[in-house]
Amino acid sequence: MSRKPELKGRAARLARLFPVGRSNQAARTPFVLLVVLLLGGGLIGLLVLNSALSEGSFKLDDLQKQTKNLTDEEQALQRDIDAYSAPDALQRRARELGMVPGGDPVFLGPDGTVKGVPSPAALRQDTQPLAPEVIGSPSVAVPTPDVSAPVTAPTPMPVTTPVTTPAPALTPVTTPTTTPGR
């Protein structure tokens, strides 16, 4: 076996400060285990964080698709509403319900006077009112009147005349002019 050379002077004093033998190896083991545990924990933490982020991105993608579908559905419903509220569609639906255009309008003044001459709505002979259960079902066709059948005129409703008071002269309505900012 080879022996270590003896140290003299300053080297001998420094050698006495360090422990002798394998105790040096035993002091390193906890440190190495701590570093390995920290690195392993960090890697596992990064893996969990990456999984959570990817799961969140999948949820975000699903929510964006759902938002797009709901937006498309809303636009389709808005188109349906616009189609049903168009004037020609409203007129056709009113005719299907048996409604007729109204007569000349009459207005009431603030003092209770009647302005205008009332006239009843003209009943068209080719329009027959439908029962509510027929209107609700789309598969039922609108019945057409039989032109060979005798047509009877409806009994006219008595027209009541308003109390005769002199009608005030109609004056043009002027709007007051306003100054911006007031």
Side-chain angles (χ1 to χ4, degrees):
M1 272 209 249
S2 70
R3 288 182 58 141
K4 288 186 176 180
E6 277 192 46
L7 301 174
K8 295 182 182 177
R10 185 174 173 186
R13 284 188 305 227
L14 286 175
R16 281 188 304 221
L17 293 175
F18 293 111
V20 181
R22 297 236 169 207
S23 64
N24 213 7
Q25 220 32 342
R28 272 191 212 169
T29 306
F31 177 73
V32 170
L33 285 176
L34 178 67
V35 169
V36 168
L37 286 175
L38 285 176
L39 287 176
L43 288 175
I44 290 173
L46 284 174
L47 179 65
V48 168
L49 181 65
N50 191 15
S51 298
L53 287 176
S54 65
E55 181 182 347
S57 69
F58 285 129
K59 283 183 182 178
L60 178 65
D61 188 46
D62 289 342
L63 289 174
Q64 285 175 341
K65 286 179 184 176
Q66 185 179 5
T67 301
K68 182 183 176 296
N69 290 338
L70 290 174
T71 302
D72 291 344
E73 183 179 347
E74 178 191 13
Q75 289 174 353
L77 290 173
Q78 187 63 44
R79 280 192 303 269
D80 290 346
I81 289 172
D82 292 341
Y84 286 128
S85 64
D88 58 337
L90 288 175
Q91 183 181 18
R92 180 181 40 80
R93 183 78 175 134
R95 283 188 184 148
E96 288 174 1
L97 292 172
M99 299 174 132
V100 294
D104 294 329
V106 177
F107 301 99
L108 292 177
D111 57 350
T113 59
V114 177
K115 296 181 181 181
V117 179
S119 65
L123 180 63
R124 292 180 19 198
Q125 295 299 325
D126 62 344
T127 305
Q128 293 180 354
L130 300 176
E133 55 271 359
V134 173
I135 293 170
S137 61
S139 63
V140 176
V142 176
T144 57
D146 186 13
V147 291
S148 64
V151 177
T152 59
T155 57
M157 294 182 59
V159 177
T160 59
T161 57
V163 177
T164 56
T165 56
L170 296 175
T171 58
V173 177
T174 59
T175 57
T177 56
T178 58
T179 306
R182 289 192 183 180

